[in-house]
Amino acid sequence: MNTTSRSRRGTVTDGGLLLFRVGGVPVLLAPSWWIGSLLIVVLYSPLVGRLLPGAGPGVSWALAAAFAILLGLSVLAHELGHVLVAIRLGIPVRRLRLFLLGGLSEVARSPERPKHEGLVAAAGPVVSVLLAVFCGLLLVAVPPDGAVWLLVAQCAVANLAVGVFNLLPGLPLDGGRMLRAGVWSLTGKRASGTRAAVFGGGLVALGLLVWALWGLAEGSDDRWLRLGVCVVTAWFVVTGATGEMAAEQRRSWPAGLALGDLTRPVLQLPAESPVESALSASAGRGVVLVRADGVAAGLLDESAAEQLAAESPRAPAELAAEPIRAETVLLESETGDAVIERVAEVAAWQFLVVDDEGRPAGVLHRDDLRAALSGNRRTR
């Protein structure tokens, strides 16, 4: 969800403006959020005049701006629900971003069980519906037909809309994730759940466009607001569903493929071996450099070894070794999906594969795995 310094509140990062952190997770406001909010203000202000007769242009614009802010806060509360449950389940979260007309909680690792997928997905809509109920009850205590009443009603509608909309059964919406969790639990295959939820996302996008066109045909008061919101949201759903399908294909282990089919043979050499000799001996193999005391110094980094050999061919190969860390060691018996997750999480280009007794069994290169997942597996 690096050893870089922590950014302060108000800092502009590559993901947007840093608002604050929750549980160590940065909450960012993307530049597109301002565009979406401006769109809402422009399209919603004429509607305020109809909902609140006698309201002047200033009041209409102010209430429209308040609605845009309330919608943003509603999305923020919704996404915080996801973040807090994910952290509670031990799922690391990279960041939370608010953008255009929505938000996104970016997890560093996909849930490993359908139950966790469902719980994280359901948390957001639960928060939104509870806030909508609270605002609905608050309406009883507010004098009707005034600006304050309309503002509270806006908050209730915003949260209800965020909650209900996200329950629609299509990715990348929460309802789509819940659908994926259900199909995954029934079939035992996450990929089957993703395909079902991506199909649902297509139906959701189509339904949004039909609803927008229906409003235009009927000449409804909110037809332009509906059209703008539906077109942008349909685009978000389609691109999100497409991205989810692509991500699933990248993380799905091909049927009939064994980890041993991708690993390169391992060769153990003394750490003090001349780097030129170690580089020549590697020739398509992974090289484990071992010190005199039997402790592994690391894996030979070919690019670093080539540079060192050009400058000092007799230098110890250990100087061009990539340290073997716990996170760069894979068990030969690990599932394919677990291997994909590990490689995605760790910034390393090669991984040592060991058997159940800890003996080196091969070396997996990131490029070899990427080629296999894209259907271009290299023959050995």
Side-chain angles (χ1 to χ4, degrees):
M1 297 190 217
N2 302 326
T3 57
T4 55
S5 59
R6 292 171 65 88
S7 301
R8 295 181 178 179
R9 183 185 305 176
T11 301
V12 177
T13 68
D14 59 350
L17 179 68
L18 177 62
L19 300 178
F20 57 90
R21 294 176 182 270
V22 55
V25 178
V27 177
L28 307 175
L29 189 67
S32 61
W33 182 87
W34 300 99
I35 299 174
S37 297
L38 180 61
L39 177 65
I40 289 175
V41 172
V42 171
L43 295 176
Y44 189 69
S45 55
L47 186 59
V48 172
R50 299 187 183 95
L51 296 173
L52 195 64
V59 174
S60 297
W61 282 93
L63 289 177
F67 178 70
I69 294 173
L70 286 172
L71 183 60
L73 291 174
S74 300
V75 172
L76 175 59
H78 178 100
E79 293 301 327
L80 284 175
H82 293 310
V83 169
L84 294 176
V85 172
I87 293 174
R88 179 71 176 175
L89 294 174
I91 302 171
V93 183
R94 289 195 184 96
R95 61 183 181 177
L96 189 166
R97 292 182 68 225
L98 299 178
F99 56 87
L100 205 55
L101 297 177
L104 180 64
S105 304
E106 301 178 14
V107 296
R109 165 173 60 79
S110 300
E112 297 178 355
R113 292 193 285 173
K115 178 182 177 180
H116 289 176
E117 172 101 23
L119 287 174
V120 173
V126 167
V127 170
S128 297
V129 171
L130 288 177
L131 287 174
V133 171
F134 173 77
C135 292
L137 294 175
L138 193 59
L139 285 174
V140 179
V142 177
D145 302 328
V148 176
W149 185 91
L150 182 59
L151 198 60
V152 176
Q154 287 174 339
C155 189
V157 170
N159 281 285
L160 186 63
V162 170
V164 172
F165 174 71
N166 274 279
L167 286 173
L168 295 177
L171 283 171
L173 305 175
D174 300 326
R177 300 187 188 283
M178 294 166 69
L179 173 61
R180 172 164 64 188
V183 175
W184 180 8
S185 180
L186 290 173
T187 64
K189 298 179 180 179
R190 178 188 167 95
S192 297
T194 298
R195 284 192 291 270
V198 166
F199 179 75
L203 293 180
V204 169
L206 179 62
L208 286 169
L209 295 178
V210 169
W211 187 53
L213 294 175
W214 184 269
L216 286 176
E218 283 193 325
S220 60
D221 291 341
D222 66 341
R223 60 187 180 278
W224 297 115
L225 175 64
R226 187 191 301 187
L227 178 65
V229 172
C230 285
V231 168
V232 172
T233 307
W235 169 82
F236 164 74
V237 170
V238 170
T239 55
T242 303
E244 289 280 355
M245 194 68 250
E248 187 64 49
Q249 291 173 344
R250 289 194 300 269
R251 76 179 303 279
S252 296
W253 192 263
L257 181 67
L259 180 57
D261 297 333
L262 299 181
T263 55
R264 302 183 179 213
V266 65
L267 173 67
Q268 298 188 47
L269 291 177
E272 63 274 13
S273 300
V275 65
E276 186 178 50
S277 301
L279 192 59
S280 299
S282 63
R285 292 178 287 188
V287 178
V288 178
L289 299 171
V290 183
R291 298 192 181 103
D293 59 4
V295 177
L299 293 171
L300 184 69
D301 185 328
E302 292 181 9
S303 59
E306 289 174 356
Q307 183 176 354
L308 181 61
E311 299 171 354
S312 179
R314 303 299 299 172
E318 182 178 357
L319 297 178
E322 182 178 8
I324 299 174
R325 310 187 305 273
E327 58 267 28
T328 61
V329 177
L330 300 171
L331 284 176
E332 194 175 28
S333 58
E334 283 193 76
T335 64
D337 287 349
V339 170
I340 294 173
E341 290 284 359
R342 177 79 68 82
V343 172
E345 291 176 10
V346 180
W349 71 274
Q350 59 179 342
F351 297 78
L352 178 64
V353 180
V354 300
D355 60 21
D356 292 336
E357 296 181 4
R359 295 173 299 194
V363 174
L364 175 67
H365 281 205
R366 180 183 293 274
D367 289 344
D368 293 341
L369 177 61
R370 185 183 295 118
L373 297 182
S374 64
N376 300 314
R377 180 156 65 95
R378 303 164 187 172
T379 56
R380 303 211 166 283

